[in-house]
Amino acid sequence: GQAGPKPFVDVSVTTPWPELLQHPDHSPMEQVEMMHNFTLPDGSNLAEYWDNKEYPFRIFKSHYMPRQHGKEGVREAVLPVRERPNVKYVAMARNGLEVVRSWNPFSNEHRAELLALWGGFPPRLPEDDITESFQTWLPGNAMGALWWEYVACWWAFRNDPNVLLLHYNDMIVDPRVGIKKLAAFVGVPLTPSEFED
């Protein structure tokens, strides 16, 4: 909606994705610097959308996972969930076969130049053989950390008071229930009219 100091423009503007590097030569700190200094087409600064002092909290999207014993080798398991109990984390899980069905067309539409720039990532997967594609998402394979490890890591934290683990299908079947859960979790009361919008 349009509530708040800035209008909704795009999810990538209002909800930054810090680990999504724009170029393989960029460091995470260069990405953060860009998030603070990037000028949007309307002349405003990107940080005015996600770091606006009028908002009660900040939201970031990520594929990062909680730090935990036994997951030291998982590059994305970096979030200090239990060390920072006042920070809230919302994680979304999805059926693995649905992830593959959704990912394959998206991944396969990337231009060859982009794949070459990123060393062949994301891998092109066969859209007509879901079993072969699914193997790529299992532990130890190219996409394993993005689904298998992600779900396994967050599952271990599902009962922590600062974690809300949602299932994608529940949000699709009845988004109002999911929105109510999410609003209650982050402490944002919704009026009936806001809920209807």
Side-chain angles (χ1 to χ4, degrees):
Q2 300 301 315
K6 290 296 215 177
F8 177 80
V9 176
D10 180 275
V11 70
S12 295
V13 170
T14 57
T15 313
W17 189 354
E19 84 258 25
L20 181 64
L21 302 180
Q22 301 300 307
H23 192 278
D25 293 335
H26 284 180
S27 70
M29 289 313 296
E30 287 174 307
Q31 181 71 12
V32 170
E33 183 72 20
M34 188 187 82
M35 288 167 46
H36 281 283
N37 297 311
F38 188 79
T39 302
L40 296 167
D42 69 358
S44 63
N45 186 285
L46 176 63
E48 293 174 22
Y49 285 84
W50 65 267
D51 195 20
N52 196 302
K53 304 252 184 291
E54 293 185 48
Y55 290 123
F57 53 81
R58 295 179 185 152
I59 299 174
F60 298 92
K61 64 177 164 282
S62 174
H63 286 125
Y64 284 148
M65 300 169 264
R67 282 197 300 236
Q68 58 184 299
H69 180 68
K71 298 290 183 185
E72 291 83 3
V74 179
R75 181 176 61 93
E76 294 84 0
V78 298
L79 297 176
V81 174
R82 292 189 173 138
E83 295 90 335
R84 297 206 176 144
N86 293 329
V87 175
K88 296 190 176 189
Y89 299 87
V90 178
M92 180 82 68
R94 191 175 184 187
N95 177 295
L97 291 175
E98 292 173 9
V99 170
V100 173
R101 281 192 192 102
S102 172
W103 175 266
N104 282 8
F106 165 75
S107 176
N108 292 342
E109 288 177 6
H110 288 77
R111 295 189 333 256
E113 297 84 11
L114 180 74
L115 296 175
L117 180 68
W118 287 91
F121 187 86
R124 292 200 187 271
L125 301 170
E127 292 185 43
D128 58 342
D129 186 349
I130 197 76
T131 304
E132 182 182 339
S133 294
F134 188 70
Q135 297 299 318
T136 308
W137 291 82
L138 294 178
N141 292 330
M143 304 300 286
L146 285 177
W147 178 70
W148 186 270
E149 291 290 349
Y150 177 87
V151 173
C153 279
W154 282 109
W155 184 256
F157 286 72
R158 71 192 180 282
N159 295 319
D160 284 37
N162 61 332
V163 172
L164 176 63
L165 179 59
L166 298 170
H167 195 282
Y168 182 82
N169 286 10
D170 294 338
M171 295 297 288
I172 297 300
V173 170
D174 194 346
R176 291 171 188 267
V177 171
I179 291 168
K180 282 182 181 178
K181 276 186 194 176
L182 183 57
F185 179 70
V186 297
V188 174
L190 293 176
T191 66
S193 63
E194 287 174 319
F195 190 69
E196 292 303 319
D197 285 345

